[in-house]
Amino acid sequence: MSGKVVLHYFDGRGKMESIRWLLAAAGVEFEEVIITKREQYVKLMNDGALMFQQVPLVEIDGMQIVQTKAIMNYIAGKYNLYGKDLKERALIDMYTEGTIDLMDLMMLYYFFSEDKQKRLSDIEQKAKERFLPVFEKGLANSDFLVGNQLSRADVHLLETTLMLQELFPTILSTFPKIQAFQERMKALPRISKFLQPGSARKPPSDEVYVKTVKEVLSHLFK
Ligand SMILES: N[C@@H](CCC(=O)N[C@@H](CS)C(=O)NCC(=O)O)C(=O)O
């Protein structure tokens, strides 16, 4: 195993995108092995790399880590994106889980062909009424969601709100603190670099991505 950070996943956002965001925010260079064929997935399993027969898989510091949260916790801990003490960490975890709940809804949206409009309305309503007000309040008196420094919660919030705006361009119009937060975050050099075309950031899911995932994980989509 080389000293490089290597990501094994599909050529799309899915469960790997927040990991890409965290690495970018931490200024960590990484390589990607893109899974396009079922044989690659089966080989990773046969090699013993997938503890629960699932990707994402990340090679880092001589380890092969699976489970998205375990991977993100490691990166956040290592690169000082996880607060100054356990209490800050608990709050960061709460905000983080909220962003994951919302991002999961959006991720699943692309995989279903039925009830698209209803799913979309549901995401919009939950975002406006349940999730965004929490983050707006969290940013009322501070530039950061937790404490006085950047944490993974901020990185996840930027990712989530940009993703939301792809589906609902005006959704932040009644959330001025989040809008200002976005501008501050986008101006950070590492984030700004990640937002440039040609970076490792992936576009929204499309038909090719969904088809590839369904082929590689054909046992799930019979
Ligand atoms: N709890 C795991 C879930 C990972 C997961 O469901 N990965 C999917 C691809 S996005 C997978 O590899 N599924 C194969 C399977 O469940 O058999 C995580 O968060 O990493």
Side-chain angles (χ1 to χ4, degrees):
M1 203 181 296
S2 72
K4 288 178 188 153
V5 176
V6 184
L7 279 45
H8 298 258
Y9 200 67
F10 309 103
D11 191 15
R13 289 181 181 172
K15 289 184 176 291
M16 191 63 99
E17 191 67 354
S18 296
I19 297 169
R20 296 186 186 102
W21 267 92
L22 275 191
L23 289 169
V28 180
E29 301 273 327
F30 56 88
E31 289 179 3
E32 299 209 47
V33 176
I34 301 295
I35 301 174
T36 56
K37 298 269 181 287
R38 182 160 176 87
E39 297 84 76
Q40 290 172 274
Y41 164 71
V42 171
K43 183 169 187 321
L44 285 173
M45 278 200 290
N46 291 343
D47 291 346
L50 305 184
M51 186 184 272
F52 298 107
Q53 303 171 18
Q54 296 163 321
V55 286
L57 163 69
V58 172
E59 296 176 43
I60 184 168
D61 295 341
M63 296 180 287
Q64 291 186 315
I65 315 188
V66 292
Q67 289 292 358
T68 315
K69 286 179 190 172
I71 298 165
M72 295 200 294
N73 292 349
Y74 183 80
I75 296 166
K78 177 168 180 181
Y79 295 102
N80 197 24
L81 292 167
Y82 222 162
K84 67 170 173 20
D85 56 30
L86 279 175
K87 286 188 175 173
E88 279 197 1
R89 187 172 168 157
L91 193 52
I92 289 168
D93 283 339
M94 288 195 283
Y95 282 130
T96 295
E97 292 300 320
T99 62
I100 292 173
D101 287 347
L102 193 44
M103 282 194 279
D104 279 351
L105 286 177
M106 289 188 270
M107 208 186 307
L108 285 175
Y109 166 75
Y110 292 99
F111 276 81
F112 290 98
S113 43
E114 288 156 18
D115 297 332
K116 289 287 243 195
Q117 198 48 51
K118 189 180 170 305
R119 284 176 189 280
L120 210 54
S121 311
D122 183 49
I123 296 170
E124 186 175 21
Q125 186 187 354
K126 280 210 175 98
K128 275 186 180 163
E129 293 174 14
R130 182 185 300 188
F131 292 100
L132 293 176
V134 174
F135 297 114
E136 182 76 4
K137 192 171 166 203
L139 291 166
N141 301 309
S142 171
D143 282 358
F144 306 102
L145 278 173
V146 180
N148 54 10
Q149 61 176 7
L150 183 76
S151 78
R152 63 180 293 188
D154 301 305
V155 180
H156 298 317
L157 179 60
L158 180 63
E159 180 191 358
T160 307
T161 52
L162 291 176
M163 206 184 283
L164 269 174
Q165 285 174 303
E166 288 168 354
L167 291 173
F168 317 104
T170 60
I171 194 158
L172 295 185
S173 59
T174 50
F175 299 97
K177 296 284 182 190
I178 299 178
Q179 285 180 47
F181 161 85
Q182 275 195 335
E183 294 315 308
R184 285 194 303 276
M185 289 289 289
K186 285 195 227 170
L188 298 178
R190 289 170 180 168
I191 301 282
S192 164
K193 194 171 158 206
F194 191 58
L195 292 172
Q196 298 301 314
S199 82
R201 187 176 177 224
K202 302 290 182 196
S205 302
D206 61 12
E207 282 173 17
V208 177
Y209 170 72
V210 172
K211 187 166 170 279
T212 307
V213 174
K214 288 183 174 176
E215 280 169 9
V216 172
L217 304 179
S218 54
H219 58 285
L220 296 178
F221 297 95
K222 280 178 185 145

